[in-house]
Structures are given as structure tokens and as C-alpha cells.
């Protein structure tokens, strides 16, 4: 166990060191007045004016319309895949409902897959649709965070920047350079990077075996750095081509945490309050470490139903110990638990183990982190979600002490709180609403491999994953049906835009306000006390909202397991 904890600590220390390096770079990216030659050429091709000052409404409209156009392009390509040249395996086009689900999934940074990558998509579709949408969805999230932070940092102005400038710079100056370097590292570690669709090899028995291949290394870089999560192969990051070594497994985790954690430093730099950025970083870390401890303890303790059978589940020099069902021996309980905690904290959805095989409390952690959706969170949106709860925290504290709440030197009034509550409530309404509908549809039973509490957990996980723009799954659910493809696709769109747009509105409203001087009654939001209050509000509001659903799923499963019953 000591070795496992040391592994966790090393990853978190490296992440913390990268926060300042990348955070400074992103702050410069969002504040530099100069445009590169490549950026100016892109503006001319797109026909946009980089000097245009956009209000939050204009900024949000451009974001949504451009995303809609790219989603439509992806949908069309998936529908005509079988007619496009270059696929030696002649894979069929996706059905209308599956193509809608896939296009919605990847444009919203969800990357939920109701299909198996190697059997459903050609190399052209993997690059022109999936990798393309993963790139622009991550770019959209980080660009939105830039506009959001800029709005909070400004005084008495009606604009929050230019979306096209933010988008272009994030793509050219941040994601492409990071992904290019990481792809070289991944190729060095053994990931394929080829345009060949497959290779036929002779096995040790002399038989012929077809091995699917493709541009995997480039796919994996944006998959993790962009907090996307879709798998080139159905096994996702458990596949040796996607995750060949312990080093790549560690780099995957660091990549997922890289931008969400560094944005806290960017936030502090842009608003000229570095301590505020560190306070938010502290809130992220406190919540993450708590959930990591919970999932690791649950998986390391093993399955109590095996103990009466005399099964040895203790960790030793000869075995990893703990609950190894659904996990790779080469990663073990520690790396698998860490990966599961990271991928659902950063709402990536990449998996190197089967979440459906985790113990009830082990499965509770991915569900809970996705429901909260601000334990680091996805690229850009994670920080925005945390600030949502920060504003809610100052509002509640202000009401308790009888003062008008203030955040970053500005009064928080009724208009902003309405937008905040839309963002806060959209998430549970989507998850609980769609889950309730699914439970009433008779066809849902046909998609379930488990009919007890765990079956409910599988349905709840699907809509939680979709709404949280995560993409991982309790894979006992067959979600490739018209009903699930459509409703989960809608949940993805709600989770992305009905939380993002209201907070852009908050940034626009705050940008137009004048600053007010701090007084003796002003609650400082850059102290350990506020960090503690923020974590408390996140857990209490999220916990009370989702407790009934969790009680019907993982909590009941845990109680049944303790009493030696199946679920």
C-alpha cells in the first residue's frame, strides 16, 4: 500500500509542477495583443474580424453555431462512410440515430461510444470525424474558459473578447504543439501511427490473425490532453496499442489533469489575484484526493463475498491483491483506481479497466465525480463549473451574514444568480430526468444485462456520463438502440450548452459592473476558509441533489454486498 500511495503522490506532485508552467503560457495566450502569421491567415480564410469585440451573447452565439456546423459535418461523414474511398475493410456507414449520437458525443467533448471503434469506423472517419471533433471540442472548452475569465477580470465593459481569436490561439498555440510532442513520445513507447487499416500476422500456432491498426498515437494525444476519452479500439486505454506501457498509463493521467489544473493558475494571473487561483486549485485537489482514497480503499480491500470462500485477496510480492475483476494485471488495483478517479474527475471517459466490475463503492466514485462535474472537470468547463459554485457559495454566505454578496470585487445580484442556478440545475435535471424516462420505457429492460440495483446503476451511469460530457460507461448496458442513442445524445447537448452558456452570461454581466472596494464585511475568496466552504457547498448541493438516485444504485449494492447478497 505504501508503494501505491507513493505512486499517487508522485503523479500529483508532477501535476502541480506543470500547473505554473502551462498556466503562465495560457495566460499569455489569452492576453497577448499580437497575432501570428498563421492566425492572421486563418482569420482571412474564415472571413472574421479579429478586432471585433464580442458581447457574451455574440460570443455564445458564434460558439454554438460553429459547433453546430462541425457537428453536422461529422454526422454527414458518418452517414456516407461506406461510400468514401480508402477503407480496405469496407466498414458500413452508421445508422441515423448512431451517427447523431456519435456526432453529438464528440462535438460536446463527451466521446461516449455506442459502437466499437475498430469495427465501426474507417481510418478516414477516425481522423476526419473523430480526431477532428475531439480537437475542436477541446478547443471550444478552453476558449470559452478564456472568454469567461476575461469577463470576470474586466470592469465597465460590454465585451468578453473575440471567440474566433480565442479558438484559433488555443488550437494553434496550445493543443497542436502539445499533441505533436506527445504523439512522438507515444510512438516511441510502441503505439502504432499508420494509415494501414490492418496487418495479417502468423500466430505461434501457425494460424493467420488480422490485427486492426491505424493512426493511434495521434488519436491518443488529443483524446487525453483534450479530456475527450473516445477509444480507437473497443477496449479503450486497456488495449495494448492505446496504452502499451506503465509510462504511457502515467502520461495518460497527467495529460487528462494538465489543462484543467493549469487553468486555475491562468485564472489567478488574468484576474491579477494569484491566491485566488491557488484557492481553486486547492479545492480541486482536496475533492480529488478524497475520492481517490475512497475508490482505492474499496478496490484494494477486495470483494468481501470471496473472503468466506478462502480466496486470498491480500497484496503481496506474488499478487496485486484486492478486486482485480475487470482490471489489467500490468496496472493492478493502484494504477487502475487512479486512472478511474482521474478520468471521471477530468470528465475524460478514457478507461484502462472495466468500471462495471468495480465494487459498489468503487463504482460510486466515478458516478459521484461526474455528477458533481467540477472535480477538475473537462478542459475549460471544469474551471467554469467550479466558479459557478464559488459564486453560489459567496451568495449563500452573504445571505447568512446579512450582506450583499461580492465576488472578485463586484456585487453578485439577482440577475447573475438566475444564470448560476440555470447552470447548476441543468445538470441534475438532465441526469435524473432522462434516467426516470428510461426506467419507464419497457425496451430498457432488453438492454440490461443486470435487472437488480446494478441495472439501475448502469442506466444512471449512462445519462450521468452523457450529461457530464464524460463518455465512460458501466458497459453492461446495450446503449446502441434508437432510444438510448437519441436520449443520451440529447443529454450530452444539454450538459454542454445549458451549463456553459449561462456562465458566459454571468461573465458578460460581471464585466459590465464597476468594482467596489473591499470592506470589513467582505468575504475573502482566496483563503483556506473559503476553499473549505466551497468544497462543502459542492458536496452538499451535489450530494443532496443526487442522493436519492445514488441510494437506489451503488449504495443499495454496497449494503447488499456487506450482507453477502448478490445484486
Amino acid at each position: 500500500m505504501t508503494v501505491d500511495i507513493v505512486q499517487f503522490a508522485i503523479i500529483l506532485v508532477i501535476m502541480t509542477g506543470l500547473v505554473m508552467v502551462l498556466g503562465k503560457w495560457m495566460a499569455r495566450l489569452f492576453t497577448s495583443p499580437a497575432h501570428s502569421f498563421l492566425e492572421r491567415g486563418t482569420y482571412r480564410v474564415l472571413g472574421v474580424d479579429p478586432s471585433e469585440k464580442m458581447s457574451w451573447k455574440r460570443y455564445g452565439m458564434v460558439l454554438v453555431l460553429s459547433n453546430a456546423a462541425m457537428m453536422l459535418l461529422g454526422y454527414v461523414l458518418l452517414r456516407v462512410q461506406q461510400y468514401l474511398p480508402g477503407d480496405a475493410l469496407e466498414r458500413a456507414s452508421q445508422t441515423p440515430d448512431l451517427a447523431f449520437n456519435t456526432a453529438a458525443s464528440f462535438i460536446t467533448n463527451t466521446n461516449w461510444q455506442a459502437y466499437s471503434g475498430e469495427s465501426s469506423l474507417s481510418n478516414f472517419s477516425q481522423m476526419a470525424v473523430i480526431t477532428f471533433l475531439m480537437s475542436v471540442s477541446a478547443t471550444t472548452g478552453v476558449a470559452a474558459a478564456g472568454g469567461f475569465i476575461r469577463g470576470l477580470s474586466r470592469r465597465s465593459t460590454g465585451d468578453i473578447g473575440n471567440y474566433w481569436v480565442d479558438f484559433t490561439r488555443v488550437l494553434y498555440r496550445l493543443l497542436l504543439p502539445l499533441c505533436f510532442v506527445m504523439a512522438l513520445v507515444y510512438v516511441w513507447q510502441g503505439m502504432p501511427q499508420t494509415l494501414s487499416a490492418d496487418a495479417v500476422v502468423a500466430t505461434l500456432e501457425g494460424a493467420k490473425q488480422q490485427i486492426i491498426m491505424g493512426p493511434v498515437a495521434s488519436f491518443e494525444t488529443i483524446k487525453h490532453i483534450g479530456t475527450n476519452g473516445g477509444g480507437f479500439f473497443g477496449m479503450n486505454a486497456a488495449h495494448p496499442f492505446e496504452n502499451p506501457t506503465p509510462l504511457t498509463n502515467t502520461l495518460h493521467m497527467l495529460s487528462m489533469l494538465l489543462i484543467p489544473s493549469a487553468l486555475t493558475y491562468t485564472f489567478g494571473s488574468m484576474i491579477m489575484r494569484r491566491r485566488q487561483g491557488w484557492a481553486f486549485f486547492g479545492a480541486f485537489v482536496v475533492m480529488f484526493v478524497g475520492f481517490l482514497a475512497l475508490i482505492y480503499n474499496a478496490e484494494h480491500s477486495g470483494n468481501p463475498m470471496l473472503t468466506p470462500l478462502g480466496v486470498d485477496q491480500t497484496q503481496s510480492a506474488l499478487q496485486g491483491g484486492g478486486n482485480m475483476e475487470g482490471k489489467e494485471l500490468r496496472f493492478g488495483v493502484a494504477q487502475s483506481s487512479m486512472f478511474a478517479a482521474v478520468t471521471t474527475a477530468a470528465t475524460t471517459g478514457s478507461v484502462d479497466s472495466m468500471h462495471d466490475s468495480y465494487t459498489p463503492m468503487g463504482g460510486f466514485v466515478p458516478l459521484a465525480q461526474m455528477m458533481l462535474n467540477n472535480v477538475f472537470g473537462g478542459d475549460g468547463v471544469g474551471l467554469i463549473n467550479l466558479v459557478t459554485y464559488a459564486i453560489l457559495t459567496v451568495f449563500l454566505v452573504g445571505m447568512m451574514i446579512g450582506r450583499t454578496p461580492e465576488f472578485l470585487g463586484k456585487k453578485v445580484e439577482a440577475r447573475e444568480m438566475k444564470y448560476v442556478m440555470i447552470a447548476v440545475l441543468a445538470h441534475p435535471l438532465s441526469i435524473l430526468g432522462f434516467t426516470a424516462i428510461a426506467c419507464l420505457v419497457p425496451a430498457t429492460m432488453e438492454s440490461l444485462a443486470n435487472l437488480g440495483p446494478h441495472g439501475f446503476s448502469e442506466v444512471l451511469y449512462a445519462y450521468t456520463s452523457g450529461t457530464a460530457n464524460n463518455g465512460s460507461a458501466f458497459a453492461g448496458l446495450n446503449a446502441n438502440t434508437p432510444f438510448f442513442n437519441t436520449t443520451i445524445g440529447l443529454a450530452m447537448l444539454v450538459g454542454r450548452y445549458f451549463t456553459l452558456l449561462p456562465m458566459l452570461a454571468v461573465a458578460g454581466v460581471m464585466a459590465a459592473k464597476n468594482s467596489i472596494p473591499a470592506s470589513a464585511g467582505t468575504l475573502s475568496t482566496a483563503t483556506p476558509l473559503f476553499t473549505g466552504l466551497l468544497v462543502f457547498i459542492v458536496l452538499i448541493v451535489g450530494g443532496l441533489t443526487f442522493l436519492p438516485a445514488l441510494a437506489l444504485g451503488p449504495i443499495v449494492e454496497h449494503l447488499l454486498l456487506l450482507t453477502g447478497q448478490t445484486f
Side-chain angles (χ1 to χ4, degrees):
M1 179 178 289
T2 302
V3 175
D4 296 341
I5 294 174
V6 170
Q7 290 185 64
F8 302 154
I10 290 174
I11 291 174
L12 293 176
V13 168
I14 295 174
M15 176 199 71
T16 305
L18 293 173
V19 164
M20 294 180 61
V21 177
L22 190 64
K24 288 180 180 179
W25 176 251
M26 286 192 288
R28 189 178 301 113
L29 179 157
F30 287 126
T31 55
S32 172
H35 304 287
S36 70
F37 173 79
L38 184 59
E39 290 164 358
R40 290 194 297 270
T42 302
Y43 303 145
R44 284 194 293 269
V45 171
L46 295 177
V48 299
D49 178 11
S51 63
E52 178 187 358
K53 296 180 178 180
M54 295 183 176
S55 66
W56 74 265
K57 294 179 181 178
R58 170 71 173 160
Y59 197 101
M61 180 184 70
V62 173
L63 184 156
V64 171
L65 292 180
S66 61
N67 276 213
M70 291 183 284
M71 176 181 168
L72 178 61
L73 174 62
Y75 174 83
V76 171
L77 291 176
L78 292 171
R79 291 288 295 126
V80 301
Q81 174 181 257
Q82 68 189 66
Y83 305 109
L84 299 175
D87 183 19
L89 302 182
E90 299 181 346
R91 281 162 281 209
S93 302
Q94 291 191 348
T95 61
D97 58 286
L98 180 57
F100 164 74
N101 181 278
T102 304
S105 177
F106 283 87
I107 194 60
T108 59
N109 206 235
T110 307
N111 309 97
W112 169 274
Q113 292 174 288
Y115 61 91
S116 183
E118 68 265 43
S119 62
S120 179
L121 298 179
S122 66
N123 283 347
F124 176 81
S125 294
Q126 294 277 25
M127 293 185 291
V129 180
I130 305 304
T131 304
F132 164 69
L133 290 180
M134 285 199 294
S135 300
V136 297
S137 66
T139 304
T140 296
V142 180
F148 177 75
I149 298 170
R150 193 180 296 113
L152 295 180
S153 67
R154 291 184 169 179
R155 307 288 183 269
S156 304
T157 182
D159 75 277
I160 62 172
N162 185 299
Y163 175 75
W164 292 116
V165 172
D166 290 338
F167 184 94
T168 305
R169 287 184 174 182
V170 169
L171 184 63
Y172 289 163
R173 301 189 190 186
L174 180 67
L175 291 178
L176 289 182
L178 286 175
C179 289
F180 179 78
V181 173
M182 189 60 74
L184 296 179
V185 175
Y186 283 161
V187 170
W188 165 56
Q189 284 294 294
M191 287 188 196
Q193 182 66 21
T194 176
L195 296 179
S196 298
D198 66 335
V200 178
V201 299
T203 67
L204 293 175
E205 294 82 5
K208 298 295 183 180
Q209 180 178 350
Q210 181 191 44
I211 299 177
I212 304 298
M213 302 175 66
V216 181
S218 57
F219 185 101
E220 289 298 300
T221 57
I222 188 61
K223 164 183 171 177
H224 291 110
I225 293 175
T227 63
N228 287 286
F232 194 98
F233 300 95
M235 289 173 61
N236 208 287
H239 196 289
F241 282 177
E242 291 198 36
N243 197 359
T245 68
L247 177 59
T248 59
N249 198 59
T250 301
L251 291 175
H252 286 344
M253 290 187 279
L254 288 172
S255 295
M256 288 186 269
L257 295 171
L258 182 62
I259 293 177
S261 61
L263 275 171
T264 59
Y265 190 91
T266 303
F267 182 89
S269 296
M270 290 179 65
I271 67 171
M272 307 296 287
R273 301 183 184 202
R274 293 275 174 82
R275 291 180 59 193
Q276 184 66 72
W278 286 116
F280 286 159
F281 177 75
F284 279 152
V285 171
V286 167
M287 290 188 287
F288 176 75
V289 170
F291 282 117
L292 174 60
L294 184 59
I295 190 172
Y296 173 68
N297 181 67
E299 298 307 304
H300 184 268
S301 298
N303 188 335
M305 295 185 70
L306 296 178
T307 302
L309 302 177
V311 177
D312 182 11
Q313 300 180 79
T314 58
Q315 189 177 40
S316 68
L318 300 178
Q319 65 177 16
N323 175 37
M324 283 298 297
E325 180 186 347
K327 298 179 179 66
E328 288 277 302
L329 286 173
R330 58 200 177 109
F331 300 136
V333 165
Q335 290 257 336
S336 299
S337 298
M338 180 74 171
F339 201 104
V342 169
T343 194
T344 49
T347 63
T348 305
S350 174
V351 294
D352 71 352
S353 59
M354 179 59 67
H355 290 186
D356 200 38
S357 295
Y358 276 54
T359 62
M361 292 314 296
F364 169 88
V365 169
L367 262 173
Q369 289 194 132
M370 290 188 297
M371 287 174 172
L372 297 178
N373 203 23
N374 53 24
V375 185
F376 286 111
D379 281 0
V381 296
L383 177 70
I384 293 175
N385 291 340
L386 188 67
V387 175
T388 302
Y389 276 89
I391 295 175
L392 179 60
T393 301
V394 297
F395 178 79
L396 293 175
V397 173
M399 294 298 99
M400 290 172 65
I401 62 176
R403 282 183 56 88
T404 302
E406 302 168 15
F407 183 64
L408 303 180
K410 298 179 181 180
K411 289 185 179 295
V412 178
E413 298 174 303
R415 186 181 180 188
E416 301 90 274
M417 287 310 302
K418 290 177 182 177
Y419 290 132
V420 166
M421 291 314 299
I422 291 174
V424 169
L425 293 175
H427 200 69
L429 285 175
S430 174
I431 293 173
L432 301 178
F434 281 117
T435 300
I437 293 172
C439 289
L440 296 174
V441 174
T444 298
M445 303 297 289
E446 300 173 3
S447 293
L448 289 173
N450 301 279
L451 300 181
H454 193 66
F456 174 80
S457 294
E458 290 173 348
V459 176
L460 177 65
Y461 196 108
Y463 289 108
T464 302
S465 180
T467 303
N469 302 139
N470 181 267
S472 63
F474 274 179
L477 171 72
N478 171 29
N480 189 14
T481 66
F483 172 77
F484 280 114
N485 281 333
T486 302
T487 54
I488 294 176
L490 292 174
M492 298 170 193
L493 297 172
V494 171
R496 179 70 160 183
Y497 301 109
F498 280 77
T499 56
L500 183 58
L501 295 178
M503 292 312 296
L504 286 178
V506 170
V509 172
M510 297 288 275
K513 292 190 174 188
N514 291 317
S515 298
I516 56 175
S519 66
T522 300
L523 172 67
S524 174
T525 57
T527 63
L529 172 62
F530 181 79
T531 298
L533 288 172
L534 174 58
V535 171
F536 177 77
I537 293 298
V538 169
L539 296 178
I540 288 297
V541 172
L544 291 178
T545 303
F546 293 108
L547 184 59
L550 291 171
L552 291 174
I555 295 177
V556 168
E557 294 176 44
H558 180 66
L559 295 175
L560 291 174
L561 187 66
L562 293 178
T563 57
Q565 302 180 57
T566 60
F567 48 84

